[in-house]
Amino acid sequence: MINVRKAAVIGCGFVGASIAFSLMQRGLYSELVLIDANQDKAQGEAMDLSHGLPYAASMRIYAGTYDDVADCAMVILTAGANQKPGETRLDLIGKNVAILKSIIPQLTSRNFQGILLVVANPVDVLTHAARQLSGLPAHRVIGSGTVLDTARLKYLLGQELGVDSRNVHAAVIGEHGDSELAVWSSANISSVDLDQFCRLRGIGDRQALLERVYHEVRDSAYEIIQRKGATYYGIAMAVARIAECIVKNEHAMLPVSVSLSGQYGLEGLCLSIPAIVGQEGVETILEIPLDPREREALLASARQLKQVIRSVGL
């Protein structure tokens, strides 16, 4: 029987530990299991987090084993090689597919019936691999997708326009990586069309602004990795947001990585696409309006990911 207030984080590196910290602060779960190939690392992180519980929500955080995942409502998979300076997310594919192949049987052999949230990169390819290897229903295998990229877009656009980023409504879709695209055609600032808002703010060369923001969003991970070695706070908050939508059954729209079955004319891969997310996982994959250039960019992103999928025999 599933415990709806229990989750596990597999992989206790910078990303996994930051996700655990973010989940603890939100108080979404009453039980959080940390699993890592290095048991001492998992125990150390669990101890460190637990010492802050008197100032947070009532819950239990502990280092566990795969036997502890059987009744988890969600397993968050962060285990994998880190992206190094100068390395793309797709460069990680061989290493991380191999790691995934060692982890998924550990879940299926315990008859895991919850939602699997893949965070390790390249997230779209690994979400597809997790779906293929696990045999879990498509709606219960989700990737963190471009939820973080979308947050970066909202933040940077808000900075440029001098407006609260929470008033910016726009999305990044496609690959969580170099071929991702910003959907400008439907972007708005609290219902005011983006073009119109730029005019209201006295911005003349709108296209140059949007190009600059897009490139900053796309390349921000590289810059952060170059400066501090890894990215982890932003993705931790993005994952906590996805978890919140599921725990609270929000039916929220998020650009998560999902298994496509004909949407946008695509199938046989996972791609980051706006979807309605609730307690059962992905409820509906949305075919949002795209202008011709955006649609072609999405199809080009899909073609690139399909080549990668074929190259690793998935």
Side-chain angles (χ1 to χ4, degrees):
M1 184 175 177
I2 289 178
N3 179 349
V4 296
R5 297 293 306 282
K6 180 179 179 182
V9 177
I10 301 176
C12 294
F14 284 125
V15 172
S18 298
I19 288 170
F21 180 62
S22 191
L23 292 175
M24 180 188 79
Q25 288 193 308
R26 292 207 182 204
L28 295 174
Y29 299 102
S30 59
E31 195 171 342
L32 185 61
V33 187
L34 305 184
I35 299 172
D36 195 274
N38 182 344
Q39 182 74 358
D40 282 343
K41 180 73 163 69
Q43 288 176 339
E45 295 292 358
M47 290 170 64
D48 197 6
L49 288 164
S50 296
H51 294 167
L53 285 175
Y55 308 119
S58 176
M59 65 185 298
R60 180 183 174 217
I61 305 174
Y62 60 96
T65 69
Y66 287 106
D67 288 335
D68 295 303
V69 306
D71 61 341
C72 282
M74 177 181 285
V75 167
I76 300 166
L77 182 57
T78 75
N82 293 325
Q83 188 176 350
K84 296 180 176 63
E87 191 174 39
T88 70
R89 295 177 182 94
L90 292 179
D91 289 335
L92 301 175
I93 183 63
K95 306 173 192 173
N96 287 350
V97 166
I99 292 170
L100 194 69
K101 286 180 176 179
S102 71
I103 291 173
I104 295 298
Q106 299 283 359
L107 303 181
T108 54
S109 66
R110 270 79 174 181
N111 196 31
F112 170 65
Q113 295 296 312
I115 292 169
L116 179 59
L117 177 57
V118 179
V119 182
N121 277 319
V123 68
D124 302 292
V125 176
L126 292 183
T127 303
H128 176 75
R131 165 94 175 91
Q132 297 297 106
L133 294 168
S134 69
L136 291 171
H139 68 277
R140 284 174 36 212
V141 181
I142 308 172
S144 53
T146 51
V147 175
L148 172 57
D149 310 75
T150 294
R152 288 168 171 159
L153 178 70
K154 291 180 178 184
Y155 168 74
L156 290 169
L157 194 55
Q159 291 290 106
E160 291 284 352
L161 298 178
V163 66
D164 190 327
S165 59
R166 292 170 296 183
N167 295 143
V168 178
H169 303 291
V172 173
I173 66 172
E175 176 204 0
H176 171 56
D178 294 344
S179 68
E180 66 188 23
L181 63 136
V183 183
W184 297 123
S185 61
S186 57
N188 68 85
I189 312 298
S190 285
S191 81
V192 179
D193 177 78
L194 181 58
D195 279 347
Q196 181 64 29
F197 194 87
C198 286
R199 284 193 288 271
L200 291 172
R201 296 300 264 171
I203 296 170
D205 194 345
R206 167 187 170 275
Q207 195 57 42
L209 167 68
L210 299 187
E211 280 295 314
R212 184 171 71 255
V213 169
Y214 165 74
H215 284 101
E216 283 188 45
V217 170
R218 188 194 64 187
D219 299 338
S220 58
Y222 297 130
E223 184 171 350
I224 294 168
I225 290 167
Q226 189 66 44
R227 290 173 182 270
K228 60 174 272 189
T231 70
Y232 36 92
Y233 296 131
I235 187 59
M237 295 174 74
V239 168
R241 177 66 190 125
I242 298 168
E244 184 176 46
C245 293
I246 292 169
V247 171
K248 295 182 178 180
N249 196 26
E250 288 187 8
H251 313 293
M253 187 168 118
L254 293 173
V256 289
S257 187
V258 292
S259 181
L260 297 177
S261 55
Q263 297 88 351
Y264 303 93
L266 298 169
E267 59 185 350
L269 80 164
C270 289
L271 209 56
S272 302
I273 296 292
I276 303 299
V277 178
Q279 65 184 4
E280 298 300 321
V282 174
E283 297 176 355
T284 308
I285 300 171
L286 301 171
E287 287 202 52
I288 62 171
L290 301 173
D291 69 24
R293 288 180 62 185
E294 291 165 349
R295 179 169 287 274
E296 179 48 43
L298 179 64
L299 296 178
S301 185
R303 285 193 294 271
Q304 179 174 333
L305 287 177
K306 278 218 167 187
Q307 286 179 342
V308 175
I309 289 169
R310 283 193 294 268
S311 73
V312 292
L314 292 172

